[in-house]
Amino acid sequence: MSLSERMLKIDRRIIFLVIGLCTLLPLLYPVGLPIKISSEVRGVYDHIESLPEQSVFLLSIDFDPASKPELYPQAIALLRHAFRKHLRVVTMTLWVSGTGMADQLVTQVAKEMGKEYGTDYAFLGWSPGGQAVIINMGQDLYSAFPSDYSGKSTKDLPVLDGVRSLKDVGYMVSLGAGRPGVEEWYVFGKDKYKFDLGGGCTGVMAPGLYPLLRSGQINGLIGGLRGAAEYESLIGQKGKAVAGMDAQSATHLAIILLVIMCNLFYFSLRQQRG
Amino acid sequence: MAAVQGGQRIFSPVLVAGPSPDWFNWNQLNNLIIALSFGGLVFYSISYAKRHEIFLRRIPGLDAVDEAIGRATELGKPILYLTGAHDLHDPSTIAAAVILGKVAKRAALYETELLVPHREPITMAVCQEITKQAYLEAGKPDLFKEDANFFITADQFSYTAAVDGIMLRKKPAANFFMGAYFAESLLLTETGASTGAIQIAGTDSDHQLPFFVTTCDYTLIGEELYAASAYLSKEPVQIGTLRGQDIGKAVVLSAIGIGIVLATVGAVTGAQWPQLFLDLLRDLK
Amino acid sequence: MIFLRRQLPLLITLVTGLLFAAQYYVPHPASEQMLTSATKWLQIVGGFALILGVTSLFHQHAVKIRRQEAGWGYSLVLYVGMLGTIAVGLWANGKESVEGTMTAFGWIYNYMMVPLQGTMFAILAFFIASAAYRSFRAKSREAAVLLVAAVIVMMGRVPLGEYLIPLSGDVSSWILNVLNSSVRRAILIGVSLGAVALSFKIIFGVERSYLGGGKE
C-alpha cells in the first residue's frame, strides 16, 4: 500500500485528536483576533438599540443543553443588551428539556444587571404544544401561560402591564436549535400576528435561515458562536463566545488543511494509477 | 358629524358602529385560488396518468434500494430504517412511512431482518401497521415481528446515541435515513459509514443535505423524497402527482422568469409600467 | 369492520383536512378557537401516545434482560436510569432547585443530562472533520467548485480566516446570502409543492398506504 493510500485510509481517531488539540490549545492560550461585525447580527443589535425604554422584549430560549455552547452566549449577550436598554424583558422556552437551563440563564444575567423579578423581567417557563403555544400567545398570552415558571399568576406581573398578546410585543427574538424555533415563530407568530422578529441559531442551521433574512421575514440573524462573539463585541462585553472564536478559527483552519491534504493524496494516487 | 357655519351649528344623527369579525380573509383570496388551482392540476394529472403512459426519470438512490436490501441479505445482516425527527404532522414523515412499506415488503421477500427505531410513539404505531401489511402482501406474515418497530426516546441526542449504539453492535448492512433531520444527521450517517453499511438518505431538511450528500452513498434531495413512492410503486396515481408537481414548478419558474425580465427592463429603461406587473406578481404571492 | 378500518379513518381525514385547510382563510375568533382547541387535543392525544412508546421501550428491554441477550446490561442501565429519574423527579416535584438549593432532580439535570447532551453535540465537530477528510475530494468539476466554496466560507466565518485573507469575509457572506439562499429557495419551492400535493392526496383519500391495511 502506497503512502497516499495509507494516508487516505488514516484512522479517524487521529483526525479527532487533531481537532481536539485545535480546540483545547487556543482555549488555554487565547490570541484574541479582532472580529468583524456582519450586517445580519447588526440587524438584531440595531433594532434593540432603536427600542424606547420600557418596550417589551420577548426572548424565546428554544434550545436544550446540547446546543448550550453556541446559543447560551447569544442569550447572555442579548439579555445584557436588553437590560442595559431598560426594556421589559419577558423570557420563555418551547423546549421542555431547556427549561431549567433557561431559568438559570435569565436569573443569572438579571442578578448581574441588578434587575428585579416581576418588574423588570419574567420567565414564563415552558408550555406544552410547540407551535400551538405560539398561536395561543398570539390570541391570548395569559391563556398560553396562566402562570410563570415559579407558579405566580402572569396577570399579576407588572412587567406584562399592557401586554395581552404577541401583537403588544415590541421585539421578539427566538434562539432556536431546531423545531420549534425561528421558522415556527415566523410562520405561526409574525406572519399571523405581525410583530418584529429576529433570530439566533446554531452555526449548522444558519445557512438554512438566510432565505428568511434576505426576504425580510426576520430582521437579523445571530448564527452560531461567531454570531454570539459579534454580539458580545457590539455590546462591548466580551465573554465566552469571543474566547471560543480562537478555538473555532483553529479548527476551521485544521479542517481546511485536512481537506487540502486529502486532495493532494487523492491526486497523487490517481497519478500513480494513471 | 358636527359643522359650524357662521353662528350656526349642525349635528348629524348619532350612529353606533361595532366591529364584527370577518368570516373570510380577503387578503388570502389569491392564496386560496392558487392552492385550489394546484389541487385541480394534481387531480387532472392523476386522471391523465391513468389513461396515458408517462416517462419517469430514474433516480439512482431509489435504484439502489434493491441493491442495499440484497446486500444485507447476502451478508445476513439487518436493515436499519429511520423515519426522521418529526411526527406524522410533517409530510416528510408520511413520505418516509410510505417508503418504509416498500422497503419492508422487499425485506420480507428476501427474509431479511428489519429494525425501525422511532422518536415518536404515534409514528411507531402507524409504521407497525404498514410493516405488518408489507409482510402480508409479501406472503410472509409469519416473519413479521411486532417489535421490529420500537420506540427509543423523543430526545434528539439520546435517540442519536441509542441508534449509533445499534449501528455499532448490530452492524446493519443497509441504513435508510428518510424524513426530517437536524444536527443528529451527521452523527448518524458518519457512524453508519464507519460500519461499512450502504447508506441511502432522503430528506426535505435542506440544512442537513450537505451532511447526507457527503456521508451517504445516495441522497434523495428535497421533493425526491415525496416522489420516491411513485418511483417504487409505478402506480399512475403517484406518477400523475409528480407530473402535477412538475407543471406547478414550471408555473412558478415562469413567474420568476417574467419577474426578472420586468424588473430588469424597469431598472434599465426607468419606465414605470413594469412595476405595475411586478406589484401584481407580488400581490399573488 | 372494513368501515372502521378503512372508510371511517378516510372520512375523518377528509372532514378534518378540509376543515383545517379552510381555517387558514377564516379570521373569525371561532375559527381561531377551533384551532386552539384542536391543538390542545393533539397535545393530550400525544401525551397518551407516550404510554405506547414507553410500553414498547420497557417491553423490548425486559425481553433482553430476561433472555440475557448480548448487551443486556445496557437494558438494565436504561431501567435504573429511567425509573430512578422518574422517582427523583416526582420527589422534587419537577423542580431543579428549591429556595436556591439544588434538588436531586436538579443534580441529575445539571451534572448528567447537560454534559451528556453537550458531549453528543460536540462530537459533531469531530465527525465533520473526519467526514470532510474522507469525502471532500475534487473528483469532478462540480465537486471542485463545492470544495473551493466550502474553503472560502470556512475561512470567511472565523477571525483567523479574515485576518489571513481579508476578502474571504465578504466573499463568504456573498456566497451565503446570494448563492446559498437562491439554491435553498429552489429546493424549498420543490419541497413545498411536493408537500402540498401529498396533503391533497391524503385529504382526498388518494394516498392511503400510511394507514396500513392494504388495498380493498
Side-chain angles (χ1 to χ4, degrees):
Chain A
M1 198 187 272
S2 68
L3 175 74
S4 301
E5 256 177 304
R6 262 185 293 160
M7 288 307 288
L8 284 175
K9 287 181 180 162
I10 194 173
D11 189 335
R12 63 184 191 150
R13 283 172 295 187
I14 296 172
I15 298 170
F16 294 168
L17 186 70
V18 171
I19 297 296
L21 288 174
C22 285
T23 314
L24 191 66
L25 292 177
L27 285 175
L28 294 174
Y29 308 104
V31 184
L33 289 160
I35 295 160
K36 204 171 148 188
I37 312 296
S38 60
S39 58
E40 50 266 31
V41 175
R42 192 173 280 283
V44 178
Y45 175 83
D46 285 348
H47 197 92
I48 294 184
E49 272 297 299
S50 70
L51 291 172
E53 274 189 20
Q54 293 301 307
S55 301
V56 177
F57 171 59
L58 176 67
L59 179 69
S60 191
I61 301 165
D62 303 326
F63 60 92
D64 60 6
S67 318
K68 193 177 170 185
E70 282 187 281
L71 293 174
Y72 205 83
Q74 290 185 13
I76 289 182
L78 274 168
L79 285 171
R80 280 178 178 160
H81 189 200
F83 282 136
R84 196 192 292 168
K85 286 284 300 173
H86 304 294
L87 304 179
R88 287 187 281 158
V89 178
V90 181
T91 54
M92 55 170 284
T93 178
L94 293 175
W95 287 40
V96 66
S97 48
T99 319
M101 181 194 64
D103 180 40
Q104 283 170 16
L105 163 78
V106 178
T107 314
Q108 174 205 321
V109 182
K111 199 172 163 188
E112 171 197 314
M113 305 293 285
K115 296 290 175 182
E116 197 186 325
Y117 189 84
T119 319
D120 303 313
Y121 76 101
F123 176 55
L124 305 180
W126 170 80
S127 183
Q131 60 211 37
V133 176
I134 304 173
I135 299 169
N136 283 6
M137 287 176 80
Q139 290 160 22
D140 180 11
L141 192 137
Y142 301 103
S143 139
F145 286 98
S147 57
D148 68 0
Y149 185 57
S150 57
K152 281 183 202 142
S153 166
T154 39
K155 280 190 175 154
D156 300 334
L157 292 171
V159 72
L160 286 170
D161 272 352
V163 181
R164 283 180 303 156
S165 69
L166 287 176
K167 287 170 195 157
D168 305 313
V169 164
Y171 190 43
M172 194 273 148
V173 174
S174 163
L175 298 180
R179 279 191 183 173
V182 183
E183 270 185 273
E184 282 66 29
W185 274 103
Y186 172 71
V187 175
F188 301 99
K190 184 186 169 176
D191 191 40
K192 273 173 102 79
Y193 305 108
K194 316 291 175 208
F195 52 87
D196 288 317
L197 175 69
C201 63
T202 56
V204 176
M205 286 178 64
L209 292 175
Y210 272 86
L212 290 187
L213 186 73
R214 292 281 296 164
S215 53
Q217 287 159 323
I218 52 174
N219 63 8
L221 180 69
I222 311 173
L225 195 68
R226 160 78 192 231
E230 288 177 33
Y231 212 95
E232 283 179 357
S233 304
L234 277 169
I235 60 167
Q237 256 182 303
K238 292 185 179 171
K240 278 186 178 168
V242 170
M245 281 322 289
D246 287 340
Q248 202 167 348
S249 290
T251 45
H252 275 217
L253 199 69
I255 293 174
I256 290 169
L257 290 176
L258 283 169
V259 169
I260 292 171
M261 266 171 57
C262 105
N263 275 282
L264 287 177
F265 293 129
Y266 171 69
F267 281 112
S268 118
L269 192 68
R270 248 184 26 175
Q271 254 183 348
Q272 280 168 26
R273 287 178 181 168
Chain B
M1 275 281 285
V4 181
Q5 194 174 30
Q8 207 177 6
R9 289 171 151 205
I10 306 161
F11 295 94
S12 69
V14 176
L15 293 171
V16 180
S20 71
D22 282 335
W23 281 99
F24 187 76
N25 186 350
W26 291 100
N27 291 331
Q28 306 276 26
L29 180 66
N30 43 25
N31 183 298
L32 180 65
I33 292 169
I34 291 173
L36 290 178
S37 312
F38 181 63
L41 183 67
V42 168
F43 288 116
Y44 169 75
S45 304
I46 290 173
S47 77
Y48 180 85
K50 281 180 181 167
R51 286 177 278 119
H52 299 86
E53 186 86 2
I54 293 178
F55 168 73
L56 214 55
R57 177 178 63 88
R58 299 217 64 78
I59 294 183
L62 291 170
D63 291 339
V65 169
D66 269 341
E67 181 196 335
I69 299 171
R71 188 159 166 240
T73 313
E74 273 171 29
L75 295 171
K77 287 179 176 177
I79 296 163
L80 184 73
Y81 191 100
L82 310 186
T83 54
H86 286 164
D87 55 20
L88 285 164
H89 289 112
D90 189 340
S92 67
T93 312
I94 298 177
V98 170
I99 301 167
L100 170 67
K102 320 286 178 202
V103 171
K105 194 172 171 183
R106 287 187 196 172
L109 283 171
Y110 295 141
E111 299 186 5
T112 307
E113 189 188 355
L114 179 69
L115 300 168
V116 194
H118 287 278
R119 269 180 79 170
E120 212 272 322
I122 295 179
T123 314
M124 179 193 76
V126 170
C127 288
Q128 252 166 358
E129 277 298 306
I130 290 174
T131 316
K132 194 175 179 178
Q133 182 60 32
Y135 275 76
L136 271 171
E137 282 175 14
K140 305 273 173 87
D142 47 319
L143 287 181
F144 171 71
K145 285 183 193 163
E146 198 79 41
D147 56 4
N149 285 271
F150 53 97
F151 177 75
I152 292 181
T153 168
D155 185 75
Q156 182 186 23
F157 288 112
S158 311
Y159 174 83
T160 310
V163 175
D164 280 356
I166 292 170
M167 284 180 186
L168 293 171
R169 283 191 300 274
K170 298 212 168 187
K171 299 217 167 11
N175 297 334
F176 291 88
F177 307 97
M178 301 289 168
Y181 291 87
F182 291 92
E184 71 276 16
S185 64
L186 187 69
L187 297 177
L188 292 166
T189 53
E190 184 60 5
T191 308
S194 76
T195 63
I198 284 193
Q199 305 203 98
I200 301 174
T203 186
D204 62 352
S205 306
D206 55 335
H207 42 87
Q208 297 305 317
L209 279 171
F211 298 128
F212 282 125
V213 171
T214 317
T215 49
C216 290
D217 299 285
Y218 301 96
T219 307
L220 307 178
I221 296 172
E223 65 194 308
E224 284 180 348
L225 172 68
Y226 303 116
S229 55
Y231 287 91
L232 290 170
S233 68
K234 304 274 189 296
E235 287 170 17
V237 169
Q238 308 280 9
I239 297 171
T241 313
L242 278 190
R243 191 185 171 85
Q245 277 171 240
D246 281 351
I247 298 172
K249 254 196 290 183
V251 172
V252 174
L253 213 63
S254 310
I256 292 172
I258 294 168
I260 291 170
V261 171
L262 287 174
T264 311
V265 169
V268 172
T269 62
Q272 288 299 308
W273 62 267
Q275 196 56 42
L276 293 171
F277 292 98
L278 285 173
D279 286 344
L280 180 74
L281 282 176
R282 195 170 291 138
D283 286 343
L284 280 174
K285 78 176 190 294
Chain C
M1 196 59 189
I2 193 84
F3 174 76
L4 285 180
R5 282 188 65 85
R6 276 270 130 179
Q7 283 140 347
L8 186 65
L10 287 175
L11 191 69
I12 294 172
T13 310
L14 176 73
V15 172
T16 50
L18 289 176
L19 200 64
F20 283 93
Q23 191 280 330
Y24 180 74
Y25 302 99
V26 181
H28 198 277
S31 143
E32 303 263 311
Q33 189 55 45
M34 182 187 77
L35 181 65
T36 311
S37 305
T39 44
K40 280 185 180 161
W41 272 103
L42 280 176
Q43 289 159 27
I44 295 165
V45 173
F48 278 102
L50 201 63
I51 298 170
L52 262 178
V54 174
T55 312
S56 151
L57 189 72
F58 275 157
H59 169 74
Q60 217 202 9
H61 289 277
V63 169
K64 269 191 184 172
I65 294 170
R66 204 170 50 239
R67 291 185 191 158
Q68 299 214 334
E69 282 178 18
W72 67 274
Y74 297 119
S75 301
L76 204 64
V77 171
L78 178 126
Y79 260 89
V80 172
M82 196 157 169
L83 294 174
T85 309
I86 290 172
V88 165
L90 289 174
W91 183 262
N93 206 14
K95 297 275 177 206
E96 282 125 47
S97 64
V98 177
E99 289 164 12
T101 315
M102 194 183 285
T103 61
F105 184 61
W107 192 90
I108 289 178
Y109 182 85
N110 282 299
Y111 298 116
M112 292 179 86
M113 195 171 149
V114 172
L116 281 171
Q117 288 210 344
T119 305
M120 280 305 291
F121 194 48
I123 291 174
L124 200 56
F126 296 88
F127 278 18
I128 284 175
S130 78
Y133 185 80
R134 206 187 57 246
S135 321
F136 232 160
R137 292 171 196 175
K139 289 178 185 168
S140 60
R141 257 181 241 164
E142 291 87 347
V145 172
L146 278 181
L147 195 70
V148 172
V151 169
I152 294 171
V153 173
M154 275 195 279
M155 288 294 267
R157 295 296 296 164
V158 288
L160 182 62
E162 283 179 297
Y163 178 75
L164 295 173
I165 308 170
L167 204 63
S168 65
D170 292 333
V171 178
S172 93
S173 185
W174 182 82
I175 290 173
L176 284 170
N177 270 309
V178 180
L179 298 183
N180 163 70
S181 287
S182 51
V183 171
R184 275 172 196 275
R185 277 197 194 121
I187 294 177
L188 211 63
I189 289 169
V191 166
S192 307
L193 287 176
V196 173
L198 184 64
S199 306
F200 270 119
K201 283 198 294 177
I202 290 170
I203 290 174
F204 290 102
V206 177
E207 174 69 71
R208 307 166 182 201
S209 43
Y210 70 98
L211 285 172
K215 302 177 186 85
E216 299 93 291

